[in-house]
Amino acid sequence: MSITPVPRVAVIVVAAGSGTRLGAGGPKAFVGLDAHSILRHCLHGVFAAPEAQVIVVAPVGRDGDALTEALEAAGDRRDLVHVVTGADTRQGSVAAGLHAVWPDVEIVLVHDAARALTPPAVFERVVAAIDGGAAGAIPVRPVVDTLKRVDGTDIVAAVDRDELAAAQTPQGFRRDVLDAAYRAATAEFTDDAALVASAGHQVVTVPGSEEGFKITTPADLARARALLAPLPAVPTALDAAPRAPRVGVGTDVHAFGGDGSLWLAGLEWPGEQALSGHSDGDAVAHAIVDALLAAAGLGDIGTHFGTDRPEYSGAHADAFLARTRALLGEAGWEVGNVSVQVQANRPRLSARRTEAEAALSAALGGAPVSVSATTTDGLGFTGTGEGVSAFAVALVVPA
């Protein structure tokens, strides 16, 4: 009969957070990324790292769910799994996990379940640093943003980012050092490295990973899901080729002479003469519609918004663009981006370009829209001030 040796490393996976900032309506660890939860993805990375006792710190009342996730991720390492209930604070949850660490363990890693995509190599680097003599080691990433020290809205000073690093997990420590630091702790710390440093120990750094970001907000969750999304299949000679992105061109012209205010690029221009047309005469919006419909192979603006459609009489850009986006969606396309150029002597778009781009982009569900403007040096009907013309180029991609 053989006896499996006890691992010299333990990993405490902290999964007891409520996930309030994520806004998922339940504990963050059990929110899905694809077919699996954040916790399951985290544990896949843990079990792909060198063998270790794995202690999952679960939210109150979710011990059974955490155990199921851990056992399914563990494969043939099920005997290494342990689940405990967390506390009200992160530090309290780690302390609960420490109580479950086996006596013969020499190195303890503390890892946030929310860093679900951390590669196994990061675990290996942390353990190697401890084996090299460090009391503690944490993975870090360089700070890339320019940092400022502020007082309210005032900038006080620049901060040298070369002296800063963004901490990640797993954070690893000699077992005796971490145990002693937790026994002596009299205050709450933001992470275990700060707690151990407060006890007088030097903590070193190892390279972290871009994939080791923490899933905290809905944007983080979307980023993680995008990283896990399967790549499109590479077509073979026997496969039908997948649809490629497509480009369309659109143009529109309207003369001045309408009633009421001028509407152009999705904005009202008080004091400017209106353009004539069945709707509001917004040549910019109409050129974009034509470009998008052409790219998707769905006809043109007259096909869907002609004078036989009274519901579009006097309608503005948001109605046209929202309906066009819906038509694209029904055909399996979504907007990639749009560029539109306006030719007119007036109004002067430069002062409201950013506002126009934001309005048009919002009407297209957030797809980027760029707007430029030019005059024609007095040539043609736009040069004499008789009207406005617009030219648009649009990219659509498979939805």
Side-chain angles (χ1 to χ4, degrees):
M1 176 179 176
S2 62
I3 299 177
T4 303
V6 173
R8 53 187 293 270
V9 177
V11 181
I12 298 173
V13 178
V14 185
S18 63
T20 302
R21 284 177 288 178
L22 190 61
K28 182 196 304 184
F30 300 100
V31 172
L33 287 182
D34 46 21
H36 301 300
S37 66
I38 288 175
L39 177 58
R40 179 80 71 84
H41 279 283
C42 169
L43 291 170
H44 282 157
V46 171
F47 283 108
E51 186 171 276
Q53 179 194 8
V54 177
I55 301 151
V56 180
V57 185
V60 174
R62 302 299 295 268
D63 304 50
D65 296 327
L67 181 61
T68 298
E69 296 280 32
L71 292 177
E72 292 185 0
D76 60 1
R77 294 187 180 181
R78 292 184 163 212
D79 56 328
L80 300 178
V81 170
H82 198 95
V83 174
V84 300
T85 300
D88 292 336
T89 65
R90 183 186 187 280
Q91 199 161 303
S93 292
V94 176
L98 274 173
H99 288 307
V101 175
W102 290 329
D104 291 338
V105 165
E106 301 169 5
I107 298 173
V108 177
L109 307 186
V110 182
H111 186 46
D112 291 336
R115 298 187 186 274
L117 306 185
T118 301
V122 178
F123 292 78
E124 296 169 6
R125 290 196 284 267
V126 173
V127 171
I130 307 302
D131 284 337
I138 67 170
V140 298
R141 293 287 298 163
V143 175
V144 296
D145 291 325
T146 297
L147 302 177
K148 304 291 184 182
R149 183 173 291 108
V150 299
D151 180 7
T153 58
D154 296 328
I155 295 176
V156 175
V159 178
D160 185 359
R161 64 187 177 196
D162 291 337
E163 299 178 354
L164 302 175
Q168 297 182 325
T169 68
Q171 300 189 353
F173 310 91
R174 285 197 342 242
R175 163 71 171 290
D176 61 320
V177 167
L178 190 61
D179 277 343
Y182 264 84
R183 285 195 300 268
T186 57
E188 289 286 331
F189 293 87
T190 55
D191 68 358
D192 302 285
L195 188 151
V196 168
S198 74
H201 298 283
Q202 180 68 41
V203 178
V204 302
T205 64
V206 300
S209 168
E210 289 187 6
E211 290 82 5
F213 66 94
K214 188 175 184 179
I215 301 172
T216 302
T217 66
D220 300 326
L221 185 63
R223 177 184 175 189
R225 285 173 172 164
L227 288 172
L228 291 170
L231 294 174
V234 178
T236 69
L238 299 178
D239 296 325
R243 291 201 296 181
R246 295 173 54 165
V247 174
V249 176
T251 183
D252 195 51
V253 174
H254 282 281
F256 289 111
D259 297 325
S261 297
L262 170 67
W263 283 84
L264 191 67
L267 304 177
E268 185 177 13
W269 300 78
E272 294 282 352
Q273 186 178 13
L275 292 165
S276 61
H278 173 59
S279 61
D280 62 357
D282 189 336
V284 172
H286 299 172
I288 292 174
V289 169
D290 258 340
L292 289 168
L293 293 173
L298 298 176
D300 57 25
I301 194 168
T303 306
H304 302 279
F305 305 95
T307 55
D308 58 337
R309 301 291 299 274
E311 65 268 33
Y312 292 106
S313 175
H316 298 309
D318 53 353
F320 279 82
L321 296 178
R323 177 56 185 157
T324 301
R325 178 172 172 245
L327 290 169
L328 264 61
E330 292 166 7
W333 298 98
E334 60 185 30
V335 183
N337 72 292
V338 178
S339 176
V340 59
Q341 184 186 70
V342 186
Q343 291 187 357
N345 285 347
R346 57 184 176 87
R348 295 291 185 180
L349 268 81
S350 57
R352 302 183 71 185
R353 177 182 289 109
T354 300
E355 185 183 355
E357 291 175 339
L360 296 169
S361 176
L364 289 175
V369 177
S370 59
V371 177
S372 61
T374 187
T375 64
T376 57
D377 290 334
L379 301 175
F381 74 92
T382 59
T384 58
E386 298 174 58
V388 172
S389 65
F391 303 86
V393 178
L395 174 73
V396 299
V397 297

